[in-house]
């Protein structure tokens, strides 16, 4: 994106500017600050706070139209516009000064085996490499080999007129740019393929609503599948199907926004409001007699109503201790091949 913006700036005839060298060096440290801030905020909040400001997410959200921009101009898009705007005037503004991913990868660039290297003996000091670098390094003067700032784009290597003066390679072997590109792609796709093939590929954080949070406070998005929503809300898919009056064959592993005829936002609103209403209504319906416990109540609700520990009820009933506490005992019993009577009996025993 920075590259395109930069080219657009050139087409529009905007002259690129540079900060003075000292200031440029100092500003490059900003991205490490951004990274530390993100890690600290994520640690504290237990969720990726940065997501609401990430220019890349903003870029992805452009497809949602300008309404979203107008709804939250100070969120995603303010930074996005800043990044795009600044890149028109300063090459790779984001990458050089603010990108937290760049800050994270910088140490790897330093210890990497394959990197841009210069041979002092072969260099004819023509200065070409320094004029093409998008992050304003000068391989002729600067020790690029040990620079954390080099993004290994290969532009300087392409521009160098002397075959052996500037090259990609290890300390012992020179590698063709194409070889490095293909190897990088192969490693990336290989890793991705293995992760997918072995079931370890996960793009969903799997955070679950805490017992203090209401259903509507949980982080739900249209890209989630019904299974993701179930995990996030801490209720079973069956409960969601019933709360949303959805058919049994409703797709469980397809993003809600991709299901034909489904308005994902409306569906998520409906699910959370129905679940919230049911939760609010339960205290009045809790019987004092364990024999009358309704099968639609959850273990947490029963535990709270009878002043017991959820774990004790599950243990006494002989149900797995990791059973979903916010799932109705009807659904749980069906999943486990047990009977809701186990819970009624357990509560009766524990209440004696
Ligand atoms: S590889 Fe790219 S970023 Fe690194 S020094 Fe060369 S031109 Fe600059
Ligand atoms: S482009 Fe090649 S030959 Fe020219 S200064 Fe850079 S490394 Fe040396």
């Amino acid at each position: 994106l920075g590259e395109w913006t930069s080219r657009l700036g050139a087409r529009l005839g905007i002259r690129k500017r540079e900060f003075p060298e000292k200031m440029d060096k100092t500003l490059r440290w900003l991205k490490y600050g951004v990274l530390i801030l993100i890690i600290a905020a994520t640690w504290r909040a237990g969720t990726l706070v940065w997501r609401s400001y990430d220019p890349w997410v903003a870029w992805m959200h452009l497809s949602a139209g300008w309404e979203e921009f107008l709804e939250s101009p100070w969120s995603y898009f303010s930074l996005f516009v800043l990044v795009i705007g600044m890149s028109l005037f300063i090459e790779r503004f984001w990458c050089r000064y603010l990108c937290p991913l760049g800050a994270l990868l910088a140490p790897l660039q330093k210890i990497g085996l394959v990197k841009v290297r210069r041979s002092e003996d072969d260099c004819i000091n023509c200065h070409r490499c320094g004029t093409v670098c998008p992050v304003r390094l000068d391989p002729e003067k600067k020790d690029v080999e040990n620079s954390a700032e080099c993004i290994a784009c290969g532009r300087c290597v392409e521009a160098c007129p002397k075959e052996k003066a500037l090259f990609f390679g290890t300390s012992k072997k020179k590698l063709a740019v194409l070889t490095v590109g293909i190897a990088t792609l192969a490693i990336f796709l290989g890793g991705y393929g293995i992760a997918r093939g072995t079931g370890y590929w996960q793009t969903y954080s799997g955070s679950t609503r805490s017992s203090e949070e209401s259903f509507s406070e949980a982080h739900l998005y249209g890209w989630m599948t019904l299974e993701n929503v179930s995990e996030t809300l801490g209720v079973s898919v069956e409960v969601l199907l019933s709360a949303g009056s959805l058919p049994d064959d409703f797709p469980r592993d397809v993003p809600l926004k991709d299901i034909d005829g489904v308005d994902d936002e409306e569906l998520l609103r409906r699910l959370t409001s129905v679940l919230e209403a049911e939760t609010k209504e339960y205290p009045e319906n809790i019987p004092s007699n364990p024999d009358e416990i309704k099968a639609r109540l959850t273990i947490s609700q029963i535990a709270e109503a009878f002043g017991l520990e959820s774990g004790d009820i599950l243990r006494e009933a002989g149900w797995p201790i990791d059973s979903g506490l916010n799932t109705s005992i009807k659904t749980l019993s069906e999943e486990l091949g047990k009977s809701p009577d186990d819970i009624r009996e357990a509560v009766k025993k524990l209440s004696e």
Side-chain angles (χ1 to χ4, degrees):
L1 206 55
E3 180 79 25
W4 292 345
T5 316
S6 178
R7 286 187 191 179
L8 177 69
R11 286 209 162 193
L12 294 173
I14 299 173
R15 196 165 64 84
K16 289 279 181 296
R17 281 151 213 278
E18 283 300 324
F19 291 117
E21 200 178 330
K22 246 189 165 174
M23 194 174 175
D24 170 71
K25 264 191 183 165
T26 313
L27 287 176
R28 284 179 195 254
W29 285 98
L30 271 179
K31 57 179 173 285
Y32 298 98
V34 173
L35 177 65
I36 292 169
L37 212 68
I38 291 172
I39 293 174
T42 305
W43 181 272
R44 220 179 131 81
T47 182
L48 189 58
V49 183
W50 172 245
R51 192 190 176 282
S52 303
Y53 305 94
D54 190 339
W56 178 249
V57 176
W59 170 243
M60 292 287 111
H61 275 68
L62 278 184
S63 59
W66 289 102
E67 290 115 47
E68 196 162 349
F69 175 88
L70 296 172
E71 267 172 30
S72 54
W74 298 109
S75 183
Y76 298 119
F77 295 99
S78 49
L79 197 53
F80 178 64
V81 169
L82 171 83
V83 169
I84 295 294
M86 290 304 284
S87 297
L88 288 171
F89 301 95
I90 296 172
E91 189 127 26
R92 301 273 180 150
F93 171 78
W94 174 256
C95 312
R96 284 158 74 182
Y97 303 123
L98 295 172
C99 180
L101 182 63
L104 192 70
L105 296 178
L108 297 182
Q109 173 61 23
K110 266 178 124 50
I111 58 170
L113 295 177
V114 178
K115 49 176 86 171
V116 171
R117 298 173 192 271
R118 187 174 76 99
S119 158
E120 188 77 54
D121 296 340
D122 295 291
C123 176
I124 55 170
N125 301 102
C126 68
H127 314 316
R128 282 196 206 171
C129 48
T131 60
V132 293
C133 178
V135 292
R136 288 290 164 260
L137 296 178
D138 188 352
E140 184 188 346
K141 294 195 197 116
K142 195 172 164 63
D143 179 13
V144 174
E145 231 174 280
N146 295 311
S147 167
E149 298 291 325
C150 174
I151 55 172
C153 66
R155 276 204 209 167
C156 54
V157 177
E158 272 175 27
C160 180
K162 287 284 286 175
E163 205 191 323
K164 291 181 188 161
L166 206 56
F167 57 91
F168 268 114
T170 63
S171 56
K172 296 208 173 98
K173 195 167 166 48
K174 180 184 170 192
L175 298 167
V177 175
L178 190 64
T179 312
V180 175
I182 292 174
T184 309
L185 205 62
I187 291 170
F188 174 75
L189 292 178
Y192 171 73
I194 291 170
R196 276 222 97 120
T198 52
Y200 282 104
W201 180 259
Q202 193 181 359
T203 53
Y204 165 61
S205 71
S207 66
T208 306
R209 179 183 66 93
S210 71
S211 50
E212 291 86 40
E213 274 181 313
S214 71
F215 285 98
S216 56
E217 278 169 344
H219 297 283
L220 300 173
Y221 305 100
W223 53 260
M224 288 180 162
T225 64
L226 200 63
E227 280 164 353
N228 294 154
V229 175
S230 146
E231 195 182 326
T232 305
L233 293 180
V235 298
S236 73
V237 169
E238 285 68 26
V239 169
L240 292 179
L241 291 175
S242 132
S245 307
L246 301 168
D248 283 346
D249 59 353
F250 188 86
R252 295 163 186 230
D253 53 0
V254 179
L256 298 177
K257 66 182 175 60
D258 293 342
I259 301 174
D260 283 343
V262 170
D263 178 341
D264 52 298
E265 285 183 16
E266 197 277 324
L267 175 60
L268 290 172
R269 250 194 312 271
R270 183 151 44 99
L271 286 176
T272 49
S273 66
V274 169
L275 290 169
E276 223 150 66
E278 280 185 1
T279 313
K280 278 191 191 128
E281 151 197 322
Y282 87 86
E284 292 140 35
N285 297 331
I286 293 276
S288 51
N289 180 354
D291 281 331
E292 290 167 14
I293 290 174
K294 291 195 174 69
R296 71 177 179 78
L297 295 178
T298 66
I299 298 285
S300 325
Q301 291 170 343
I302 296 167
E304 195 183 328
F306 287 88
L308 300 169
E309 290 295 323
S310 303
D312 291 344
I313 299 178
L314 288 170
R315 250 188 302 275
E316 185 63 38
W319 287 18
I321 199 72
D322 57 353
S323 304
L325 300 182
N326 294 316
T327 305
S328 72
I329 57 170
K330 175 176 182 290
T331 308
L332 272 182
S333 61
E334 282 166 8
E335 280 171 6
L336 299 169
K338 307 264 187 190
S339 160
D341 280 340
D342 300 343
I343 298 296
R344 294 183 184 113
E345 286 304 317
V347 173
K348 215 188 293 178
K349 262 201 159 168
L350 291 168
S351 306
E352 278 169 6

